[in-house]
Amino acid sequence: MGNQVVPYNSTAAAPAAPTKTGNTFVGWFTDAGLTNVFSFATPITADITLYAKWTVNNYTVTFNSNGGTAVTGQVIPYNSTATAPAAPTKAGSILAGWFTDAGLTSVFNFATPITADITLYAKWQLGTLDIDANGSYDALTDGLLVIRYLFGLSGAALTDNAIGSGATRADAEGIASYLSGLLPLLDVDADGQPDALTDGLLVVRYLFGLRGAPLVQAALGLDATRTAAADIQAYLQDLMP
C-alpha cells in the first residue's frame, strides 16, 4: 500500500481497501496493537503509520450423507482443517468415505486446509458378513472375525487363522476398518449395543446353519427388541446378499 504526502492540518484520503487471501479487511488503525481505529476526517499534523486490521474468513463444510443419517456441518477458519465427523448410518450399508464430488471419484482428506465453502458427499458400500471379501460366508472365518472384533481383539489376534481362501481383505488393519464401519449393523438383536456374547454368537450360529430356537437360545441381550428367531434370521440374511 503506497504512502500519501498530506499538507499540515489536511486530511488523508482513504485508499481502496487492500485484499488478503482468506481474510476480510476491517479498517485502518493508528497502533500496531489494532486498538485505535483511525478516522480519515482527522487532520494530519505529523508523520503517521496506519495499520490494517484483518479478520480471518470462516467457511462452511457441508456433509451430504446421500441417504444416510444427517451430519451437522462445520464452520472452519480459513486454512484450518475440518474434523472427520462421527460416521452416519444407512440401513444395510457402511460408510466408505467422504468425497469432494457428487460422482464420488475424489476422496477427501481431512488433513486438507479449508479455503472455501465445500460440500462433502458420503459414499456407501453394501454391508455384508463377507468380512474377508472372498465371496463366501463362513462361520470359521467371517463369523470368527466378527466375534473376535466384538471381543476387542486387533492385529494378529483378530485375523490369525480366520482368513478364508481367496480373501481380498486379509490384513488386520483392513479387516478392523471394515468391521468398524459394519459395527452399527452388528447389533443383531437390536438392543443398542453390539456384543460378542449375543450379537457375535448369533452371527456365528447363523453361519453354522442354526435356525429357530437353537439360533437364539441364550444369545439375546436383556434389552433386545429383535428377539424372534424368524426376525433374527431375516435380518442376518439381508447381510448376506
Side-chain angles (χ1 to χ4, degrees), residues 1-233:
M1 188 64 63
N3 297 330
Q4 293 182 26
V5 178
V6 180
Y8 174 80
N9 222 32
S10 296
T11 56
T19 60
K20 183 179 180 182
T21 302
N23 290 259
T24 297
F25 177 65
V26 174
W28 293 102
F29 287 70
T30 60
D31 61 312
L34 305 174
T35 59
N36 298 311
V37 67
F38 177 74
S39 169
F40 281 92
T42 304
I44 300 300
T45 58
D47 292 341
I48 187 172
T49 297
L50 300 180
Y51 301 84
K53 182 175 182 178
W54 303 92
T55 57
V56 176
N57 294 342
N58 288 322
Y59 296 103
T60 300
V61 179
T62 301
F63 297 92
N64 183 332
S65 63
N66 273 329
T69 53
V71 176
T72 303
Q74 298 177 19
V75 178
I76 307 297
Y78 171 77
N79 225 30
S80 296
T81 56
T83 301
T89 59
K90 184 179 181 182
S93 300
I94 63 174
L95 182 69
W98 292 101
F99 288 71
T100 60
D101 60 312
L104 306 176
T105 60
S106 299
V107 67
F108 179 73
N109 183 340
F110 279 91
T112 303
I114 301 300
T115 58
D117 292 339
I118 187 172
T119 297
L120 301 180
Y121 301 86
K123 182 176 182 179
W124 299 96
Q125 65 185 45
L126 187 66
T128 80
L129 291 176
D130 183 13
I131 311 301
D132 58 8
N134 70 342
S136 64
Y137 304 93
D138 187 273
L140 295 178
T141 55
D142 304 300
L144 186 55
L145 288 166
V146 167
I147 204 165
R148 284 179 176 178
Y149 182 80
L150 293 178
F151 268 124
L153 301 183
S154 60
L158 172 63
T159 57
D160 275 357
N161 301 311
I163 303 298
S165 175
T168 58
R169 186 186 298 116
D171 64 289
E173 183 177 352
I175 294 288
S177 177
Y178 181 81
L179 283 166
S180 175
L182 190 67
L183 190 60
L185 302 181
L186 293 179
D187 183 15
V188 180
D189 62 4
D191 67 349
Q193 179 62 51
D195 183 87
L197 294 178
T198 55
D199 306 295
L201 184 57
L202 288 166
V203 169
V204 171
R205 285 179 176 178
Y206 186 83
L207 293 178
F208 267 125
L210 276 64
R211 300 293 185 267
L215 171 64
V216 299
Q217 187 174 10
L220 299 174
L222 293 177
D223 298 318
T225 58
R226 186 183 296 117
T227 57
D231 292 339
I232 298 286
Q233 291 164 198

